[in-house]
Amino acid sequence: ATLAELDDVLVDCRACPRLVAWREQVAREKRAAFRDEEYWGRPVPGFGPADASLLIVGLAPAAHGGNRTGRMFTGDRSGDVLYAALYDAGLASQPTATHIGDGLELFGTRITSPVHCAPPANRPTVVERDTCRHWLEQELDLLSPTLRAVVVLGGFGWQALLPVLSAAGWTIPVPRPKFGHGAHALLSPTEAREHPLHLFGCYHVSQQNTFTGRLTQEMVTDVLRDAARAASL
Ligand code: SF4
């Protein structure tokens, strides 16, 4: 399968009853507020080229962001910060992301999340995270020939991703790298993989972090620049 084929199947996934109910309820109730657009209300696939060398891993789509527009971090305040930082780091064609068809392109970079459906209060359960894991495993497997670096936004993504990277053929250092803003680890390849993988931590671009000043756009840009360099972008 190709990444595009994987995304085509993913958008029909209904494996998590609570998330299916929530994403559809939000879409039904909010459709009136966004009358001119179709409200997506389905799993949100990864965004970016299939031969990306840098992968950004978030948490889950926002109810009125990705869940509304159908594209990762598109149409919400978290995305405003992330895409501005990607643009400043030379990884995006424009600093804003409003809707599919807005002309935005990512360069050598793909954005995904360990949970593909919007959860209530932005909090997926452990069962939901584990249920969604096979999508991330397949995406990583398809990206692995070109993948050189991963930026993880927040501790949830970090916890979700480490076992997936280990199963996918990279060795997690001992002691296990801890999540933090600016954290970096180099994962060596097992015989299943040809290249090492650089892992970077970055605080999540949530409003909770950016409104309180815990995270600034410059801090995100700095991590993205380091990761882009590690990925030879
Ligand atoms: Fe499917 Fe993942 Fe959405 Fe659960 S969160 S319904 S596994 S796409």
Side-chain angles (χ1 to χ4, degrees):
T2 65
L3 211 41
E5 287 166 348
L6 182 76
D7 292 345
D8 272 357
V9 186
L10 165 75
V11 298
D12 289 326
C13 183
R14 305 181 63 83
C16 304
R18 187 183 79 119
L19 299 188
V20 171
W22 173 249
R23 75 192 193 202
E24 293 178 356
Q25 182 194 328
V26 170
R28 248 186 339 265
E29 289 172 0
K30 291 291 172 180
R31 198 158 271 152
F34 297 94
R35 217 174 298 241
D36 299 341
E37 10 177 327
E38 205 46 48
Y39 212 109
W40 181 252
R42 297 165 72 184
V44 180
F47 170 52
D51 59 352
S53 47
L54 172 60
L55 181 66
I56 296 171
V57 178
L59 195 171
H64 308 306
N67 187 53
R68 172 169 63 89
T69 60
R71 199 175 65 187
M72 285 282 163
F73 284 100
T74 297
D76 61 35
R77 287 179 193 267
S78 304
D80 290 346
V81 176
L82 179 62
Y83 286 110
L86 281 162
Y87 178 74
D88 282 349
L91 300 171
S93 62
Q94 58 190 48
T96 55
T98 54
H99 61 281
I100 290 176
D102 60 4
L104 174 65
E105 262 183 89
L106 296 180
F107 306 131
T109 303
R110 187 169 163 99
I111 305 176
T112 194
S113 59
V115 172
H116 284 276
C117 294
N122 291 322
R123 268 197 217 106
T125 65
V126 170
V127 171
E128 287 158 356
R129 181 196 71 194
D130 292 346
T131 305
C132 207
R133 176 177 159 153
H134 72 102
W135 294 113
L136 186 59
E137 286 171 352
Q138 293 177 74
E139 188 173 17
L140 266 173
D141 200 51
L142 289 164
L143 285 170
S144 62
T146 52
L147 192 64
R148 300 292 180 270
V150 182
V151 173
V152 185
L153 303 175
F156 182 93
W158 188 268
Q159 297 305 334
L161 187 67
L162 284 187
V164 178
L165 290 176
S166 168
W170 284 282
T171 305
I172 310 297
V174 179
R176 199 177 142 105
K178 282 208 177 72
F179 175 75
H181 186 80
H184 171 253
L186 185 62
L187 279 51
S188 50
T190 62
E191 62 271 19
R193 299 291 170 213
E194 279 176 34
H195 300 276
L197 192 69
H198 288 269
L199 182 65
F200 293 88
C202 178
Y203 288 153
H204 194 281
V205 287
S206 64
Q207 285 189 67
Q208 206 183 332
N209 282 337
T210 52
F211 275 24
T212 54
R214 184 176 188 235
L215 182 69
T216 62
Q217 193 217 300
E218 289 69 33
M219 288 165 69
V220 183
T221 307
D222 285 347
V223 174
L224 290 175
R225 285 210 175 102
D226 288 347
R229 214 172 297 125
S232 305
L233 286 171

